[in-house]
Structure formats: structure tokens, C-alpha cells
Amino acid sequence: MRPNSPLLFRNPALMTLLIVVSIGGYLGASFFTAAPSEPKNITGDPRAWPQRAQQSLLSPNEEVRVSAILEQLTIEQKVGQLIVGDISTIEPKDLVDYPLGAILAGGNSAPGEKAYAEMEPWLNTADAYYTAALSNQNVEQPIPPLFGTDAVHGHNNVLGAVIFPHNIGLGAANDTAIVERIGAMTARALAATGHDWTFAPTVAVAEDPRWGRAYESYSQDPERVRVLSRAFVKGLQSEPIGNGMILGTAKHFIADGGTKGGRDRGDARIPEPYLANVHGAGYYGALESDVGTIMGSFSSWNGTKIHAHKYLLTDILRGRMAFNGFVVSDWNAHAQIPGCSVDDCPLAINAGIDMLMSPWDAKDLYQSVLRAAQSGKISEQRLNEAVKRILSVKLKIGLLDGTMPSARPGARDKEALSGSAAQALGREAVRSSLVLLKNEDGLLPLPSAPSKITVIGQAADSFSNQSGGWTLTWQAREIAKEHFPFGATLIDGLQNHPASRDQDILFDPDDSQRTLPDIAIVVLAEPSYAEYQGDTKSLRVPRQNRAALNALDRLSKADIPTVCVILSGRPLWIEKLIPKTQALVAAWLPGSQAGGIADVLLGETEQGMPVDFSGTMPIRWPKDRLFAVKDDEEILFPIGYGLSYN
Ligand code: BGC
Ligand code: BGC
């Protein structure tokens, strides 16, 4: 050994020690990560999380009442409260043997054969579960179930309902008043069909646009997410309808938008202060409006699944954040915890999940939770705590003193689903969500003098493209014009607008006529997607736009001025396309009222009131070939960017 080699290598005793310690450490670490029943929680510094004041959800009298109810419940009923099953697998009559705490209709579930239904079948379904639960002769004190759904941009599984812009567009609008009004209108729409619970708002901060749920996030700016989440929950939960109020859900706790590579259900590898400050923001906002439920995230934090993360679900959420509602799990997410399966997971309940979402296996899960409660794997104290939280929320929203869904105030409120006020609110929200990225020589607003305008791009006439996922069906792929009797596509909006009466507007979706108009409007879009199905490796303008992209080349060579409108749930790689177009508009996923886009392009409403662009970029728009960007050099349009006519 060379004399100058470090001390360690010259000393056999030290070296042996080092080897022993590292093998021990390695075994220790792998022992912890492999152990199925005891995931290793990262318990960092809780002081990263602002401390909210602890406050009981109930008044002293209500406390007494809930405790009295709790005492009357059988262990079977208590276990039932901890489970929410889907209408596709649980029938109303099942609630006698399986007294579940809630029923949901997932993105592809609705009464009848389709993934969506009209108001009346929804209301009948709500009544059927409610009545079945309350007519249970086996128990002294039957408890009515909650009826939940994903009303995430309007009441989106109801045929004919107005669909609002997805959150990313509302983040561009950055207008708390509009978001609050959308929350209130959504609450009314839910009461109309007998629902009392929506799994909204998503309060994620989408850091990487590759994420298939980036459009469900208001913004990459935690402050926008905080104030808009607060506004939505305020609007939603303060409408005095249903049995008293409609219940919201802040989701998906926590850092669903912070996963590596933007992978849905992935892992957020970030330090605790960052987790708290960036991804906690939306929860603090929703809590300021007393959100009643919080949904866990499929994803992990530094390798541990959130659904198993006692430190986050209990110490932080209940301690530092002082959340006093109940925590619901996501769609079979517990099954992804090592050591758990779809129908067995006491671990999630012990970590702090109060209600397990079990779309297909609710009956088997009920049996296993019952066994765990009987054997003490779930302690009596933990069982009672979870049930008490669920009952408290039910009491708070009036469900324990209420009536059958169809007899509740606001039932059959068709106006809230599709009436003129709902349509106008949708259209107004669309107008405020648009971001003007370029407007060379003041090409926009479109001239009112007679001129020839050609609109190119299939997406200009597609509800699927303009609405995105979670529209009538989960992925929103098979939806057609006839499903939106109260809506308008972009081409409808342009052609039917009073301000375009002197224009000659031609729709040539594939540019087959190769016109040379005075102005062309080229519409680019993403196909609709939801959740992990929307995860992507590239932000290239998708293939469906080939004809439109070719048209852009052709028109720019012919010196025809073009306006390019992008319908997308996230930034796309458009750097090379910008020089080919005179005006560029990010329109996000506006939903069913795309007449609002026509208003702003034409510079006035249908009533002749002047309108301007007011939206600003909610997310950093990367240059080509980049994704999650922070550095100015890499950003095409920063957060806050947006032009206007003035
Ligand atoms: C989604 C949630 C949704 C739930 C119920 C899950 O797959 O992640 O956002 O609320 O399904 O549809
Ligand atoms: C459901 C959605 C759910 C998804 C997740 C779909 O079939 O309709 O609600 O989020 O599955 O797997």
C-alpha cells in the first residue's frame, strides 16, 4: 500500500468497520422499504407547514348529537360508513346488507347504458339509494349515504349541462369572482340531480406539463392555486340548497402535480419545505373556505405512497393544517400500497384515510374492514374517530336531517344545468380565460368590414377537443354535437355572432379548398384525455393537426394573415410556428360555450358590449423540446404574460 493512501485504507480495523456499517445500513434500509405493513415515513420538519387554529366542525350541541348517534351504530354500520362504492357495482338494495357511507358515480358511470344521463334518471338514482338506505329494517339508526361525482368543470356527466373551462383556463382568468360563481352554479347543478358531493376542486400545482392532469390544475403559481381553490370551495359550499349545502373535495393530497417527469400517480421527490409551500398552497386555500373533504393522491412523496403516509395524512393534515372534515381515498388507490389489495387495506385507514373509495370491490372490502375492526387491526378508537368525522360532515351539510334527493330545495333546477344564466356564465368564463400571445399589426379584433374568413382545423367544430377529458365520459372521446344542445363550438360561435353578420365565414376543416381568404383562422388542438392516459413524452403539436399545420405553411407563404387558436390542456411546442402566424391565442379547454372565443376575437359580445383579452399565462410555456422550465432562457411565455387590445 502506498504510504500516502488515506488512513482508512491503511487501517484494516477501520475498513472492516466501514464495510460492516455500510452493509448494515443497506440491509436496514431495504428492510424498511420492503416491509409491507410498516412503510417508512419521512418525518421531516413539521414547522415547514403553517399552523392553522384547531376548530371543531360542530357546535357543542351537535357534538353531543353525533356522539349519541355513534353509540347507536352497530360495528357493521360503522364499518359501512368507511366505504364508498360505485353505482356500477352497488345496487340500492345492497345497502341493506352493506350499509355503505357513500355512493359515487365515476367518470364512466351513470344510470342506464351510457357514461352520462339526463337530470331525471340521475335524480331517480339518488332517490333509490337514499330510500334503500333509510328503509333498512335491520338497524335502529339508518344513516343516509352521500352521493358523489366528479363535477370538475360543471356537472359534466349530465347530458345537456353547461361545461365550464377546465381549471387551467380559470387559472388564466385568475378571477376569484368568476370561480366563486362557477362553484355556486355547480352546487346548484348538483342539487338539481340529487348529488350532494363533488370531487372538486383539484388544487394541484402542475409543475410538469407532461402530466395528463395538468389541465385540472389552476396554475403553476401556488398563489393563484391558493386563492382560486378558496374561491371555488366558497362558492360551492355556500349555496343554501340540497339539504343545506353541497360538499366539496380538495384533491389530490398532496403533490400530485409535483411528480418526477409529470408522471400521473408517480413520485414527488422534493424536500418538505417545498412540499409545504408549493403543493400545500391549494389546501390552505380550500381550508380557508372550510372544505369538507380531502382526497388522497395516488402518488408518492419521496417513495412512500400518500395513502400510507401517516405523517402527512395525520400529523400534518390534522395537526398543522387543522383539517376537521374527512379524508376520502382515491379510486382503488389503496391497492397500490405494498401489502394491500383492492379488498384489504387496514393500513390506509390507520394512516389516516377515513373513507375508502372502492368502485368495484366494496362488498369484499367491507368484509375485510369488518374483520380488521373485530380483530383490533383497526382499533376501536380509530374506527370511531373516522366514523365520527364522516357523521359530522353529514350532519353539517344537513344530510342527517334532510329529505329524499328529489324533495330537496334545488332539485330539478334545470336552469342551473343549462339555463341562460349558466350559459352566460360559461361564456363569460371562456372570454376571461383566453390569453393573447401575439397580435402583429393589430390583426385582432377581426375587422367588421365585409371580408372573407376561412376557418381551418377539425377542432373548430369539436366538443371533444374544446372540452377535454371528464366531459360526459371519462376520456371524452365519443362525444358529439348532438350531446350539447345548449353549447357552441368555435365555428358555431363565429358564424352565429351578430358582429360577423357582414363576414363571409367558410369552414374548411382540412383545408381541402385551399382558399386564399382575407384572413384565416387556424385552430390547433389536443385530442381529449384524462388522468394517466394523458401523460406524454412530447409536447409536439399532435398529429390530428397535420392538415391545419400544412395550411399554416401554405397561407404564410401566400402572405395571408392568420390567427392561430390553440385548444389545449397544456403548453405545446409552438416556437417554430409563431413566425408563421400574425396572431396567436391560447384558449385552453373552454368547455361547451366556445361562443366566448368568438366574442373576444370579434371584440364584442352578442349584445354589442366591447370585450378585450384579460387572461394571463397560468403556467410557464416552454420553448421547443423542453418541459418543466424555471429559467427565463427556456421560457417562451412566463407566468403572467398576456397581451390585450389596449
Ligand atoms: C381520480 C379522481 C376521481 C376519482 C373518482 C380517480 O381515478 O383520480 O380524481 O375523483 O377517480 O372518479
Ligand atoms: C372511472 C373514473 C376513474 C378511472 C380511474 C374510470 O373508469 O370512470 O372515475 O377515475 O376509471 O381508473
Side-chain angles (χ1 to χ4, degrees):
M1 195 164 282
R2 296 210 314 270
N4 63 348
S5 65
L7 171 70
L8 185 67
F9 296 108
R10 277 182 279 138
N11 184 328
L14 255 186
M15 205 149 146
T16 317
L17 185 70
L18 182 78
I19 291 168
V20 168
V21 166
S22 26
I23 292 177
Y26 174 76
L27 286 179
S30 54
F31 173 76
F32 275 117
T33 38
S37 55
E38 208 48 51
K40 189 178 153 216
N41 281 339
I42 299 93
T43 47
D45 184 358
R47 285 170 305 181
W49 308 83
Q51 177 72 59
R52 295 182 70 244
Q54 296 284 347
Q55 219 183 355
S56 169
L57 184 61
L58 305 177
S59 68
N61 284 343
E62 290 170 334
E63 286 279 354
V64 172
R65 193 172 153 206
V66 166
S67 302
I69 299 174
L70 192 65
E71 267 177 34
Q72 280 184 296
L73 298 189
T74 61
I75 189 167
E76 288 82 6
Q77 280 183 289
K78 289 183 185 175
V79 164
Q81 289 302 304
L82 267 47
I83 295 169
V84 47
D86 190 85
I87 63 167
S88 58
T89 51
I90 296 293
E91 290 180 51
K93 66 173 167 45
D94 293 329
L95 294 182
V96 173
D97 289 329
Y98 302 92
L100 304 187
I103 296 295
L104 92 142
N108 275 335
S109 306
E113 298 301 302
K114 308 241 168 68
Y116 48 86
E118 289 185 70
M119 180 181 76
E120 211 57 45
W122 276 118
L123 206 45
N124 294 338
T125 303
D127 278 353
Y129 286 101
Y130 181 88
T131 316
L134 287 197
S135 59
N136 190 348
Q137 303 293 329
N138 301 346
V139 295
E140 213 177 313
Q141 173 82 54
I143 304 292
L146 287 161
F147 189 29
T149 193
D150 292 282
V152 297
H153 59 154
H155 200 354
N156 41 251
N157 285 62
V158 181
L159 194 60
V162 165
I163 304 298
F164 295 107
H166 265 304
N167 284 355
I168 187 133
L170 299 179
N174 196 19
D175 180 333
T176 53
I178 286 187
V179 170
E180 191 177 325
R181 284 158 60 210
I182 290 176
M185 193 64 84
T186 306
R188 285 178 52 195
L190 285 156
T193 55
H195 291 81
D196 37 31
W197 185 18
T198 176
F199 309 126
T202 295
V203 305
V205 174
E207 295 204 77
D208 192 317
R210 279 173 288 190
W211 188 32
R213 309 190 78 155
Y215 65 78
E216 294 186 63
S217 160
Y218 290 115
S219 178
Q220 239 167 26
D221 170 11
E223 183 55 17
R224 281 196 196 198
V225 173
R226 190 179 68 79
V227 298
L228 297 177
S229 302
R230 180 177 63 195
F232 183 84
V233 176
K234 181 167 176 219
L236 183 85
Q237 293 194 163
S238 46
E239 278 297 288
I241 39 159
N243 285 319
M245 76 186 249
I246 298 294
L247 187 58
T249 311
K251 72 185 188 184
H252 308 82
F253 187 81
I254 186 173
D256 50 348
T259 61
K260 195 162 179 280
R263 249 196 69 216
D264 194 40
R265 308 180 171 189
D267 187 12
R269 301 190 192 162
I270 49 181
E272 189 164 7
Y274 190 86
L275 180 71
N277 293 326
V278 174
H279 296 283
Y283 297 92
Y284 280 99
L287 285 168
E288 283 175 51
S289 294
D290 299 317
V291 73
T293 72
I294 289 181
M295 187 185 288
S297 177
F298 268 106
S299 57
S300 306
W301 179 42
N302 293 330
T304 302
K305 283 280 177 194
I306 304 288
H307 278 73
H309 215 301
K310 192 168 185 181
Y311 172 70
L312 290 176
L313 291 174
T314 301
D315 301 6
I316 295 305
L317 191 51
R318 301 292 178 180
R320 303 294 295 187
M321 297 176 116
F323 174 53
N324 58 16
F326 73 83
V327 180
V328 62
S329 68
D330 201 350
W331 186 273
N332 271 337
H334 57 273
Q336 298 189 354
I337 300 172
C340 285
S341 61
V342 273
D343 56 11
D344 188 26
C345 193
L347 192 76
I349 293 183
N350 288 334
I353 299 286
D354 299 305
M355 185 186 274
L356 288 168
M357 187 184 290
S358 177
W360 303 308
D361 307 276
K363 294 177 185 174
D364 291 340
L365 184 65
Y366 167 88
Q367 301 292 1
S368 81
V369 176
L370 185 59
R371 282 193 302 274
Q374 283 161 341
S375 72
K377 263 198 202 169
I378 296 171
S379 70
E380 194 183 348
Q381 190 216 336
R382 175 67 193 116
L383 178 67
N384 284 339
E385 176 185 65
V387 177
K388 191 175 166 203
R389 286 174 184 156
I390 294 165
L391 292 177
S392 301
V393 168
K394 288 185 174 182
L395 177 69
K396 212 66 203 172
I397 70 164
L399 187 62
L400 299 185
D401 300 298
T403 53
M404 165 151 127
S406 64
R408 293 174 193 166
R412 297 201 172 79
D413 178 2
K414 232 184 171 137
E415 280 297 298
L417 288 161
S418 55
S420 53
Q423 291 176 37
L425 178 58
R427 191 164 179 146
E428 181 187 347
V430 173
R431 285 197 292 265
S432 11
S433 69
L434 307 177
V435 184
L436 182 62
L437 300 173
K438 178 178 181 183
N439 194 20
E440 211 172 271
D441 306 327
L443 179 61
L444 288 175
L446 297 169
S448 50
S451 42
K452 284 193 187 324
I453 298 178
T454 304
V455 179
I456 297 164
Q458 297 280 0
D461 199 28
S462 164
F463 280 101
S464 174
N465 286 160
Q466 74 187 38
S467 304
W470 300 104
T471 307
L472 296 184
T473 75
W474 183 38
Q475 299 292 329
R477 282 186 198 132
E478 311 86 356
I479 58 179
K481 270 191 114 157
E482 77 230 34
H483 299 131
F484 299 88
F486 306 104
T489 61
L490 175 49
I491 188 69
D492 296 336
L494 282 168
Q495 287 180 331
N496 300 335
H497 204 289
S500 73
R501 74 179 81 77
D502 295 330
Q503 313 287 28
D504 180 5
I505 301 179
L506 173 78
F507 182 37
D508 186 11
D510 294 321
D511 193 33
S512 50
Q513 303 184 41
R514 302 176 69 85
T515 55
L516 292 173
D518 299 320
I519 298 174
I521 299 177
V522 176
V523 183
L524 305 177
E526 283 189 293
S528 66
Y529 51 80
E531 300 190 45
Y532 49 88
Q533 294 200 21
D535 283 1
T536 183
K537 292 194 173 73
S538 148
L539 298 176
R540 250 188 298 270
V541 176
R543 296 174 65 89
Q544 76 162 64
N545 300 285
R546 184 166 295 167
L549 289 173
N550 289 341
L552 208 55
D553 284 334
R554 178 181 75 78
L555 293 160
S556 89
K557 280 182 198 134
D559 274 331
I560 306 289
T562 59
V563 178
C564 183
V565 177
I566 305 175
L567 296 163
S568 69
R570 54 185 154 208
L572 298 174
W573 290 336
I574 55 166
E575 205 180 335
K576 294 212 180 67
L577 168 162
I578 294 177
K580 298 180 197 164
T581 186
Q582 279 62 52
L584 184 63
V585 177
W588 314 110
L589 298 170
S592 60
Q593 309 309 115
I597 305 180
D599 294 346
V600 184
L601 296 184
L602 290 159
E604 61 184 83
T605 64
E606 286 182 299
Q607 294 73 31
M609 299 291 289
V611 285
D612 197 347
F613 283 91
S614 57
T616 58
M617 197 49 75
I619 186 166
R620 293 172 206 97
W621 195 296
K623 292 189 172 166
D624 286 6
R625 297 176 174 281
L626 300 170
F627 304 103
V629 289
K630 295 230 157 71
D631 190 335
D632 281 353
E633 298 275 287
E634 305 173 325
I635 300 175
L636 209 51
F637 304 109
I639 290 178
Y641 183 86
L643 308 171
S644 68
Y645 297 147
N646 295 315

